[in-house]
């Protein structure tokens, strides 16, 4: 819950993960991060989220929007954690709003997000609002 303001950045989690340690790795200071992915196993998503945390992605982040995650086909939850568990564990100790199941990513109902623009993200008990400035 809470309010976050900042530039919207992000995209496919596997791509963001692959950019860690490079000149193209994102500077997350004051940013709202959007993530989505397709065809990944939960254990790999866990590895990627832990790597982002260790790289400081969430230290100065102002919000997190979690889009669609189409898990690897025939993936049972033998890993022991849900997608939500993995993400909340990665951002544990932070103080910014997190929303899940935003209709963006590899889904038929794929809402447009304007990366690079300033947004305000408000999350309350029963309402989510994203305002593009």
């Amino acid at each position: 819950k809470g309010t976050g303001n900042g530039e919207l950045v992000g995209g496919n989690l596997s791509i963001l993960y692959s950019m860690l340690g490079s000149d193209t790795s994102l500077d997350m200071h004051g940013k709202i991060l959007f993530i989505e992915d397709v065809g990944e196993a939960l254990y790999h998503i866990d590895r990627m989220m832990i790597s982002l945390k260790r790289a400081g992605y969430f230290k100065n982040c102002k919000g997190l929007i979690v889009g669609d995650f189409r898990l690897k086909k025939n993936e049972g939850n033998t890993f022991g954690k849900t997608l939500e568990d993995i993400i909340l564990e990665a951002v544990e100790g932070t103080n910014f709003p997190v929303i899940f199941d935003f209709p963006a990513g590899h889904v038929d109902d794929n809402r447009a997000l304007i990366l690079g623009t300033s947004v305000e993200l408000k999350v309350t008990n029963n309402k989510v609002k994203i305002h593009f400035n």
Side-chain angles (χ1 to χ4, degrees), residues 6-10 113-119:
E7 179 186 355
L8 182 62
V9 297
L113 290 172
I114 308 167
L115 299 178
T117 61
S118 178
V119 297

Side-chain angles (χ1 to χ4, degrees), residues 40-56:
E40 294 292 346
L42 286 170
Y43 75 89
H44 193 204
I45 294 168
D46 186 58
R47 180 184 320 137
M48 290 187 284
M49 291 300 294
I50 289 169
S51 294
L52 292 183
K53 181 177 185 169
R54 292 180 69 203

Side-chain angles (χ1 to χ4, degrees), residues 56-100:
Y57 256 59
F58 307 119
K59 197 176 282 185
N60 295 304
C61 189
K62 298 299 179 187
L64 177 60
I65 300 170
V66 181
D68 184 65
F69 274 74
R70 295 278 167 106
L71 297 178
K72 186 176 181 178
K73 289 194 185 286
N74 302 321
E75 168 93 359
N77 193 5
T78 58
F79 182 62
K81 295 180 189 176
T82 66
L83 176 68
E84 197 167 299
D85 292 336
I86 291 166
I87 291 170
L88 290 176
E89 186 177 284
V91 300
E92 189 174 13
T94 63
N95 190 24
F96 55 74
V98 178
I99 66 168
F100 290 91

